[in-house]
Amino acid sequence: MNPESGNDSMIRPELLSLTRAEMKELMAESFGEKAYRGDQVYDWIHKKGVTDPALMSNLSKKLREALASSCRAGTVMQVEKKVSAIDGTRKFLMGLSDGNVVESVLMQYSYGDSACVSSQVGCAMGCSFCASAIGGFVRNLSASEMLEEIYCMEKDSCRRIHSTVVMGTGEPLLNYEELLRFIRILSDPEGDCISQRNITVSTCGIVPAIYSLAEEGLQINLAVSLHAPNDRIRSTIMPVSRKYSISEILKACSYYFEKTGRRLTFEYSLIEGVNDSEEKAKELADILSGLNCLINLIPVNPVEERSYRQTGRQAVLRFKNVLEKRGRNVTIRREIGRDIDAACGQLRKKYMSRETV
Ligand code: SAH
């Protein structure tokens, strides 16, 4: 990370990261303006999609200049876009002010557009099948940067986004404060107004953070990347399992459901010969009994550097069948954007290796 931009963010507040109340406070305390100016700036950014203070035409010239010189807004830029010829999925590389890049994806569904956003630059979790793990962790994204991923994609498509999944690169629950700020601003009825019921956070199972999230009074959906029916197999593909056992994770998930009433999703990437036998399906059905949940089966997306192979279609259907016979709700994730490296971290990884050659 460029240290100068670190200093920059400390000195110059990021306008997009401020709630409406904080924006009003900033206007009064830092600029000697009436609080309603905060409403105006907030509306420009979150309702009208304008981040450049120079274009905020109902502010005085003096305030526009002051905002431009002492605050930051609109720091994320689209640097690359790939559009799937198969299904129209768009994958973006977003450039950050310190030279890092993150991936964001826009998927089209019958009910509306769904955005997948990154929460960190790189990832520390080290899941063995995931391309995001390869370069390691670089830094957390700010709420402002996550919001800009959404706003840049809305601008590109000229359409409102209907739902958002925090399932791009990074472990969102290890960037807790900024994640919550992002969710609260994104779902603000007086902002971009994406309903919390249409926001899903995916975690590899950071147990203490799941308990905290349950207390936040939010209505978001929680997805947990399980990928194994027992700790022995999980520890061979997900290092985080050394810290939190499956039984601890499931207990935290029950608590989340109790507190929020939101149904849980368990993601299960099927890897040939690792976690995809019918035996494993039975074990999975057993450990999830009693939980109101959906199991989302994902044929693993092969990553060049790894030797993992995707479970074949027939075996996926058999796995699903075993779960359903035991009364579990199961979906198979539609493969999207296969022709554009849409698996976690693949596009960024390619971009980074191009940059370093
Ligand atoms: N850290 C969070 C969110 C980011 S990963 C988490 O672990 O949930 C988003 C989802 O994609 C996770 O379920 C992750 O395990 C899965 N994933 C990553 N690489 C994959 C691949 N190559 N094939 C299939 N699923 C993958």
Side-chain angles (χ1 to χ4, degrees):
M1 180 181 159
N2 174 353
E4 278 183 9
S5 74
N7 290 338
D8 197 30
S9 66
M10 272 187 281
I11 298 160
R12 302 201 298 155
E14 288 183 305
L15 290 180
L16 273 78
S17 285
L18 302 179
T19 61
R20 189 175 281 271
E22 288 168 342
M23 192 75 86
K24 288 181 177 185
E25 217 175 283
L26 179 81
M27 286 305 132
E29 287 176 9
S30 302
F31 298 99
E33 294 279 346
K34 295 266 188 318
Y36 77 90
R37 293 284 179 210
D39 284 319
Q40 289 177 322
V41 176
Y42 192 89
D43 287 346
W44 276 112
I45 294 174
H46 300 288
K47 277 190 171 162
K48 300 177 191 154
V50 172
T51 52
D52 180 358
L55 302 176
M56 299 180 182
S57 55
N58 56 1
L59 308 182
S60 68
K61 187 161 180 271
K62 185 172 139 250
L63 179 56
R64 290 197 306 257
E65 285 171 359
L67 284 175
S69 64
S70 57
C71 299
R72 302 196 313 151
T75 58
V76 175
M77 306 282 273
Q78 179 185 317
V79 292
E80 194 170 319
K81 175 172 87 172
K82 283 190 167 188
V83 183
S84 165
I86 301 170
D87 54 33
T89 298
R90 296 164 196 215
K91 182 140 196 176
F92 299 86
L93 269 181
M94 303 293 191
L96 311 177
S97 60
D98 60 1
N100 280 303
V101 292
V102 291
E103 295 178 357
S104 321
V105 183
L106 189 65
M107 294 154 287
Q108 297 172 332
Y109 292 103
S110 54
Y111 54 79
D113 286 357
S114 179
C116 173
V117 296
S118 294
S119 56
Q120 296 181 318
V121 181
C123 185
M125 297 297 93
C127 299
S128 62
F129 48 85
C130 179
S132 295
I134 290 168
F137 173 74
V138 182
R139 71 167 172 88
N140 281 327
L141 291 187
S142 64
S144 168
E145 288 168 324
M146 285 186 260
L147 284 162
E148 283 203 62
E149 291 182 65
I150 302 272
Y151 296 168
C152 284
M153 289 193 280
E154 286 187 328
K155 266 192 199 137
D156 184 83
S157 67
C158 299
R159 285 173 19 170
R160 292 273 335 275
I161 283 170
H162 168 271
S163 53
T164 297
V165 294
V166 188
M167 268 187 203
T169 298
E171 172 43 54
L173 294 190
L174 290 181
N175 185 13
Y176 192 82
E177 293 305 324
E178 293 301 303
L179 173 77
L180 282 217
R181 196 168 261 283
F182 162 73
I183 292 169
R184 293 211 159 101
I185 296 175
L186 187 67
S187 60
D188 178 359
E190 295 189 62
D192 200 38
C193 193
I194 295 185
S195 160
Q196 286 183 4
R197 291 171 168 257
N198 295 337
I199 299 175
T200 301
V201 170
S202 177
T203 177
C204 61
I206 308 296
V207 168
I210 295 176
Y211 282 109
S212 304
L213 196 63
E215 308 294 345
E216 299 286 353
L218 298 173
Q219 276 292 291
I220 59 166
N221 311 303
L222 186 65
V224 174
S225 300
L226 204 54
H227 305 321
N230 60 48
D231 291 321
R232 188 182 49 76
I233 297 177
R234 199 166 192 257
S235 67
T236 64
I237 50 177
M238 297 179 74
V240 70
S241 79
R242 280 180 231 129
K243 201 150 183 197
Y244 305 111
S245 69
I246 290 179
S247 70
E248 287 174 300
I249 293 172
L250 296 184
K251 232 166 110 187
C253 288
S254 296
Y255 186 76
Y256 186 83
F257 178 73
E258 220 172 88
K259 279 283 180 179
T260 63
R262 304 299 295 152
R263 185 169 71 170
L264 304 153
T265 299
F266 291 98
E267 294 157 277
Y268 196 100
S269 294
L270 287 160
I271 309 171
E272 193 181 72
V274 174
N275 61 1
D276 64 345
S277 70
E278 291 184 43
E279 268 315 296
K280 307 287 183 315
K282 284 180 198 156
E283 213 178 331
L284 181 64
D286 286 347
I287 63 165
L288 297 180
S289 70
L291 269 178
N292 184 346
C293 67
L294 176 75
I295 302 165
N296 193 9
L297 299 177
I298 314 164
V300 78
N301 235 310
V303 171
E304 259 167 45
E305 290 77 358
R306 311 292 190 217
S307 54
Y308 292 129
R309 281 208 308 267
Q310 207 175 66
T311 299
R313 186 76 193 160
Q314 287 311 316
V316 173
L317 292 175
R318 278 199 295 276
F319 198 93
K320 178 171 185 262
N321 199 23
V322 171
L323 291 169
E324 283 179 338
K325 275 204 176 130
R326 283 165 173 72
R328 306 290 164 266
N329 296 309
V330 192
T331 52
I332 300 175
R333 185 183 290 174
R334 196 183 81 174
E335 261 193 285
I336 49 116
R338 181 115 201 220
D339 53 332
I340 55 164
D341 300 319
C344 275
Q346 284 185 342
L347 190 62
R348 171 173 174 264
K349 186 173 58 60
K350 280 196 181 157
Y351 179 84
M352 303 302 276
S353 57
R354 268 206 316 265
E355 289 291 286
T356 53
V357 171

